[in-house]
Amino acid sequence: MFTGIIQEIGKIEKIENSNSKRYLTISCKTFQLDLQIGESIACNGICLTVTKFTPSNITVETMNQTLLITTANKWKINSSIHMEKAMALSGRLNGHIVQGHVDTTTALIRKYRENSTLYLEFRLPDEYAHLVVEHGSICIDGASLTIAKLTDNSFQVALIEHTVSMTHFDALKVGDLVNLEFDIIGKYVHKMLKKSTKKESSITEEWLIKNGF
């Protein structure tokens, strides 16, 4: 489990394919310190397993299913990768609960600045629109961000300078794809409400509030 707070930006320096799996070697400065083989880390929001590391890089394994549903199949040598270690239970939840399980990808459709704030607008896939709310949390390429504006077919996020400096979002171009993970709490609430429409249920607005939703 992760928080969506990017700790370092790595660069892919080697790609190897073997037995329907892809091994990616990512250069990094300090991220590899205190890692262990078999640990889970988030790479652009994808939970991947560390298979080896050196003083200057780490190698992770991606399965075919991961390549099918994420942007990992488009990564090339020198691709920029957001990196985050798994959350420690003793740490602060500075972002939001992120699993590293990418739901889908989407494209950047607009990018602009107002003073020191960078605004990014992405296409909102119809099948996931029910999981997005204005001012709610969303994970984009592994970064925990807040939805600043929502329309029927798109959403915007606003990035302060610190977030811009810690991520690769400033380098995104219109048409570029990113990984999306929607809020897990919203997914559970939606499933419970969907079940309640099929049979009489005690789930009401009052019940949701009482149980912390």
Side-chain angles (χ1 to χ4, degrees):
M1 189 169 293
F2 308 92
T3 66
I5 304 300
I6 306 305
Q7 296 168 329
E8 186 172 329
I9 299 178
K11 295 283 186 181
I12 292 182
E13 60 180 35
K14 187 177 182 181
I15 301 174
E16 295 179 287
N17 295 306
S18 176
N19 298 323
S20 299
K21 295 180 181 179
R22 183 170 295 177
Y23 295 88
L24 306 167
T25 300
I26 306 170
S27 63
C28 42
K29 296 177 181 178
T30 62
F31 188 82
Q32 70 278 21
L33 301 179
D34 75 9
L35 272 183
Q36 295 183 9
I37 301 299
E39 274 196 52
S40 294
I41 64 171
C43 298
N44 277 5
I46 308 167
C47 182
L48 298 175
T49 300
V50 176
T51 60
K52 61 181 179 180
F53 61 89
T54 73
S56 62
N57 61 44
I58 63 170
T59 299
V60 293
E61 176 185 314
T62 61
M63 296 184 297
N64 189 54
Q65 180 65 15
T66 300
L67 298 174
L68 288 174
I69 66 172
T70 71
T71 61
N73 63 351
K74 298 184 180 299
W75 296 350
K76 302 175 182 179
I77 302 299
N78 289 324
S79 287
S80 176
I81 305 296
H82 289 160
M83 303 173 73
E84 181 190 355
K85 293 185 175 81
M87 177 178 64
L89 290 178
S90 59
R92 291 186 173 90
L93 185 59
N94 289 311
H96 72 283
I97 297 173
V98 175
Q99 294 184 296
H101 301 163
V102 172
D103 292 300
T104 189
T105 62
T106 196
L108 178 69
I109 59 177
R110 187 184 178 204
K111 175 183 177 181
Y112 65 97
R113 279 186 176 272
E114 287 187 2
N115 300 318
S116 60
T117 302
L118 175 66
Y119 289 87
L120 303 174
E121 184 173 357
F122 296 94
R123 185 180 67 83
L124 176 59
D126 291 341
E127 62 269 35
Y128 296 102
H130 61 283
L131 296 175
V132 181
V133 295
E134 200 163 35
H135 307 310
S137 296
I138 192 166
C139 186
I140 303 176
D141 267 358
S144 173
L145 298 170
T146 300
I147 295 169
K149 185 178 180 180
L150 182 64
T151 71
D152 290 340
N153 52 26
S154 71
F155 65 91
Q156 283 188 22
V157 292
L159 281 63
I160 61 173
E161 283 297 331
H162 175 73
T163 303
V164 172
S165 69
M166 294 297 294
T167 64
H168 58 217
F169 290 126
D170 201 27
L172 285 181
K173 301 183 295 294
V174 170
D176 284 348
L177 293 178
V178 295
N179 293 319
L180 293 184
E181 180 186 330
F182 300 99
D183 189 1
I184 185 63
I185 296 175
K187 294 175 187 177
Y188 278 120
V189 171
H190 173 72
K191 184 173 182 178
M192 287 189 291
L193 291 175
K194 190 174 181 180
K195 279 189 173 182
S196 72
T197 62
K198 296 180 180 179
K199 61 181 180 179
E200 188 174 348
S201 171
S202 60
I203 297 177
T204 63
E205 182 177 354
E206 182 180 356
W207 183 93
L208 289 171
I209 295 172
K210 182 180 178 180
N211 286 275
F213 294 105

